[in-house]
């Protein structure tokens, strides 16, 4: 596991009672912080394409993303790639215990120190690569992830979190719109695939709202979509994650072929597998719903 430097060393385990929102003192924005564009100019935060950076500077939109995460009272929030800190500020204005932000850009880490000072003991900056960090090791439960994900690593990050999804209360994430469409896609549609199945098998996923390219600096070429993901609490199956990954990879490895052909890569008796799963051998992967893939994975385990 990557060793990360922390830029604040203590964390309040419970929110300040004054910040509960039910007394005389509520959580409000820290107006002493400079505008985000001033922060970008001061620290030379020209977005790096290699890091997939597109900064969201509209504080109304960052607040909307924070609201989409639901009630954060008493929870630890993990943010990926905070950049100059627009979403970070919005998350700190909620009733979360603490925000843990993973950032690999030294320029952004320096820029975020003003936010650390403005919110004592409520912001921890972890210097490191989100792809190499175990998010569950950053803070105790209950924990959520809220992030404007870099487009170039969004899907592998999500897959990693799904593999341990019960460790999180929820994930509120921004993706390219086309990726968000895949997350919620239904059978017999062009967007339906492995990512749709694994996500919907483990979670309840809801699209919240779109954000146009014009909201970002620099402007990406695509629309973004905020998605809210919650672990399913009533799963009946006990299919291991790696088994479902293997079965879906085989099924969609040759998307347009019938399953009796595409599943041969599993090196089992495919006819028996499909019979045991109560699936027609003429069916194609894109026609099988989540329940069908659960049956297929369960049958594969028993062969």
């Amino acid at each position: 596991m990557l060793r990360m430097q922390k830029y604040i060393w203590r964390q309040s385990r419970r929110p300040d009672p004054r910040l509960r929102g039910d007394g005389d003192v509520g959580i409000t924005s820290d107006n002493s912080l400079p505008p985000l564009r001033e922060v970008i100019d001061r620290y030379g935060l020209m977005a790096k394409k290699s890091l997939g950076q597109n900064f969201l500077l509209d504080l109304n939109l960052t607040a909307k993303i924070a609201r989409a995460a639901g009630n954060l009272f008493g929870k630890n929030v993990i943010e990926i790639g905070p950049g100059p800190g627009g979403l970070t500020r919005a998350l700190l204005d909620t009733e979360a215990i603490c925000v843990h932000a993973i950032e690999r850009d030294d320029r952004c880490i320096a820029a975020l120190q003003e936010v650390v000072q403005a919110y004592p003991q409520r912001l921890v900056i972890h210097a490191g690569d989100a792809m190499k960090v175990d998010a569950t090791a950053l803070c105790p439960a209950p924990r959520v992830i809220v992030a404007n994900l870099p487009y170039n690593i969004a899907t592998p990050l999500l897959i990693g979190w799904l593999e341990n999804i019960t460790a999180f209360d929820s994930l509120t994430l921004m993706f390219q719109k086309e990726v968000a469409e895949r997350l919620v896609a239904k059978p017999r549609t062009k967007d339906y695939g492995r990512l749709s199945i694994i996500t919907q098998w483990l979670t309840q996923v809801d699209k919240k709202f779109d954000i146009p390219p014009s909201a970002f600096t620099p402007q990406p070429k695509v629309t973004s979509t905020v998605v809210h993901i919650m672990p399913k609490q009533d799963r009946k199956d006990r299919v291991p994650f790696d088994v479902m990954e293997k079965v879906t990879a085989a099924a969609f490895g040759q998307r347009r072929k019938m399953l009796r052909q595409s599943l041969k890569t599993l090196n089992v008796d495919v006819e028996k597998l499909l019979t045991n799963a109560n699936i027609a051998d003429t069916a194609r992967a894109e026609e099988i719903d989540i329940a069908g893939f659960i049956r297929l994975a369960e049958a594969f385990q028993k062969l």
Side-chain angles (χ1 to χ4, degrees), residues 233-277:
Q233 303 298 324
D234 57 351
R235 275 185 58 209
K236 302 295 192 297
D237 71 273
R238 292 293 181 265
V239 175
F241 189 87
D242 62 336
V243 171
M244 184 62 80
E245 272 201 311
K246 188 172 184 177
V247 169
T248 54
F252 283 93
Q254 301 177 74
R255 183 183 181 96
R256 298 304 302 168
K257 290 188 177 293
M258 296 179 185
L259 289 174
R260 65 188 181 194
Q261 179 64 34
S262 61
L263 293 179
K264 286 182 178 180
T265 58
L266 293 176
N267 296 316
V268 297
D269 184 335
V270 174
E271 183 179 353
K272 183 176 182 181
L273 173 62
L274 291 170
T275 298
N276 291 351

Side-chain angles (χ1 to χ4, degrees), residues 64-86:
K64 188 175 182 180
I65 296 170
R67 290 194 300 272
N71 183 4
L72 298 179
F73 176 75
K75 297 179 181 179
N76 283 298
V77 178
I78 299 166
E79 184 187 5
I80 312 299

Side-chain angles (χ1 to χ4, degrees), residues 6-276:
K6 293 183 180 180
Y7 285 79
I8 181 171
W9 299 97
R10 296 185 307 277
Q11 171 187 345
S12 296
R13 291 307 203 116
R14 300 178 61 191
D16 186 322
R18 296 174 302 164
L19 303 183
R20 292 178 62 90
D22 55 0
D24 293 334
V25 181
I27 292 181
T28 57
S29 299
D30 190 315
N31 293 323
S32 67
L33 289 171
L36 290 173
R37 292 193 183 278
E38 181 180 321
V39 173
I40 288 173
D41 291 341
R42 186 189 309 168
Y43 290 92
L45 299 184
M46 298 299 293
K48 292 184 178 180
K49 187 175 182 179
S50 62
L51 298 180
Q53 291 176 329
N54 297 94
F55 300 141
L56 185 59
L57 306 183
D58 186 330
L59 296 183
N60 290 317
L61 284 175
T62 57
K64 188 175 182 180
I65 296 170
R67 290 194 300 272
N71 183 4
L72 298 179
F73 176 75
K75 297 179 181 179
N76 283 298
V77 178
I78 299 166
E79 184 187 5
I80 312 299
L87 179 56
T88 312
R89 297 184 190 189
L91 294 170
L92 287 165
D93 286 342
T94 71
E95 297 179 315
I97 294 175
C98 187
V99 175
H100 292 261
I102 304 171
E103 179 59 70
R104 62 181 297 188
D105 188 335
D106 291 339
R107 303 169 307 157
C108 295
I109 291 171
L112 289 165
Q113 297 313 301
E114 291 184 71
V115 189
V116 170
Q117 294 169 14
Y119 293 87
Q121 299 189 19
R122 292 194 61 227
L123 175 60
V124 181
I125 309 299
H126 300 270
D129 183 346
M131 289 293 294
K132 300 177 181 178
V133 173
D134 177 3
T136 64
L138 301 182
C139 55
R143 63 179 76 86
V144 303
I145 298 178
V146 185
N148 167 17
L149 296 178
Y151 293 151
N152 56 346
I153 58 172
T155 299
L157 280 174
L158 175 61
I159 293 296
W161 297 329
L162 288 174
E163 190 168 2
N164 194 24
I165 191 61
T166 56
F168 305 100
D169 279 19
S170 67
L171 313 175
T172 305
L173 308 171
M174 189 191 304
F175 296 95
Q176 291 185 56
K177 185 172 183 177
E178 65 179 48
V179 176
E181 296 291 351
R182 288 164 58 197
L183 296 180
V184 300
K186 300 304 180 186
R188 300 177 183 273
T189 64
K190 65 180 179 63
D191 293 318
Y192 187 67
R194 293 182 64 201
L195 189 60
S196 318
I197 293 158
I198 291 175
T199 303
Q200 295 174 41
W201 164 49
L202 297 170
T203 72
Q204 174 65 44
V205 54
D206 296 299
K207 287 195 304 179
K208 289 298 186 179
F209 52 89
D210 292 341
I211 298 180
S214 59
F216 297 89
T217 300
Q219 290 190 25
K221 296 179 180 179
V222 296
T223 297
S224 300
T225 301
V226 174
V227 174
H228 187 62
I229 298 170
M230 296 189 67
K232 285 183 177 177
Q233 303 298 324
D234 57 351
R235 275 185 58 209
K236 302 295 192 297
D237 71 273
R238 292 293 181 265
V239 175
F241 189 87
D242 62 336
V243 171
M244 184 62 80
E245 272 201 311
K246 188 172 184 177
V247 169
T248 54
F252 283 93
Q254 301 177 74
R255 183 183 181 96
R256 298 304 302 168
K257 290 188 177 293
M258 296 179 185
L259 289 174
R260 65 188 181 194
Q261 179 64 34
S262 61
L263 293 179
K264 286 182 178 180
T265 58
L266 293 176
N267 296 316
V268 297
D269 184 335
V270 174
E271 183 179 353
K272 183 176 182 181
L273 173 62
L274 291 170
T275 298
N276 291 351

